[in-house]
Amino acid sequence: MATTLNATATGRGVDAAAAAARRVIAALVRAGDISGADMTAVADRLNAIADELEAAAPGLRERLVNMWRGDGTTRHDPVTGPENPLAPPLQYTGRPDGSIEAVVTLDLPYQGPPSCVHGGVSALLLDHTLGVANAWSGPSGMTAELTLRYHRLTPLFEPLTVTGRQVAVDGSKIRTVGSISAGGRTCVTAEGLFIAKHPPRPR
């Protein structure tokens, strides 16, 4: 039996707009300055959209309160959030053994070395994955230490399997491990120490 652990995109409203923005970001990076696109006109249209959104946006405090309502499954984070155009986004599945897993294919916006995932992006994905693994299988908390080992380059443009699993709890200290693999080969492994505390939610 498997369970989905993150917010599901609705396909409409802000989720649809964020998905469209992901397309724009990827298309911009792919087009670069060697395409035949009129980038000045593109910039004018994008700035007009930004002007519209900024004019309609609520105050920052109101938005923060709105973001953190609900049961803790966020819609805005930069890894799984359907409202966040920076998120790939990952879709986790929780398993009875306490582990979680997601499969994602990353495009050029996440590039570091040629045709490979930036190491900092790998760290972002694993930090978040380990945190979700904690929430799935036991106590959760804030990252205190995150140690990564880069075994080989992590490829873009092909499916990556991202995993996490809580391995030990000692009082307020939580230890969790995870990995990113491609084609059955491990690319990055992570060990995390978390402290069982959470900052207060905006109210």
Side-chain angles (χ1 to χ4, degrees):
M1 179 179 178
T3 302
T4 301
L5 298 178
N6 37 262
T8 301
T10 64
R12 58 185 184 277
V14 67
D15 292 6
R22 286 187 201 103
R23 285 190 63 200
V24 169
I25 291 168
L28 277 170
V29 178
R30 282 190 175 236
D33 61 0
I34 63 172
S35 74
D38 182 347
M39 288 299 184
T40 299
V42 169
D44 288 343
R45 295 201 300 274
L46 292 176
N47 279 317
I49 292 169
D51 289 343
E52 178 184 350
L53 290 172
E54 288 170 359
L60 179 58
R61 181 171 180 79
E62 180 183 352
R63 179 60 176 135
L64 284 171
V65 170
N66 174 264
M67 279 180 165
W68 288 101
R69 73 191 190 283
D71 62 2
T73 303
T74 62
R75 300 184 54 77
H76 59 267
D77 72 76
V79 175
T80 70
E83 294 183 6
N84 192 331
L86 299 181
L90 271 66
Q91 297 284 318
Y92 295 116
T93 298
R95 307 200 180 280
D97 67 358
S99 66
I100 67 169
E101 179 179 296
V103 177
V104 66
T105 301
L106 301 179
D107 209 315
L108 282 177
Y110 304 99
Q111 181 175 236
S115 298
C116 296
V117 179
H118 192 290
V121 171
S122 296
L124 170 67
L125 298 185
L126 284 166
D127 180 41
H128 192 81
T129 298
L130 269 56
V132 175
N134 288 332
W136 168 243
S137 65
S140 61
M142 305 298 295
T143 309
E145 295 177 3
L146 183 66
T147 302
L148 272 69
R149 181 179 177 191
Y150 295 89
H151 301 264
R152 56 180 49 84
L153 292 172
T154 303
L156 297 172
F157 319 125
E158 63 181 82
L160 305 175
T161 300
V162 187
T163 65
R165 178 172 55 89
Q166 188 176 97
V167 294
V169 178
D170 180 10
S172 64
K173 295 181 178 180
I174 305 160
R175 298 192 182 275
T176 316
V177 298
S179 68
I180 299 174
S181 61
R185 303 180 72 195
T186 300
C187 301
V188 188
T189 54
E191 296 180 0
L193 170 64
F194 296 78
I195 303 300
K197 64 178 180 179
H198 297 275
R201 291 191 177 202
R203 299 187 184 282

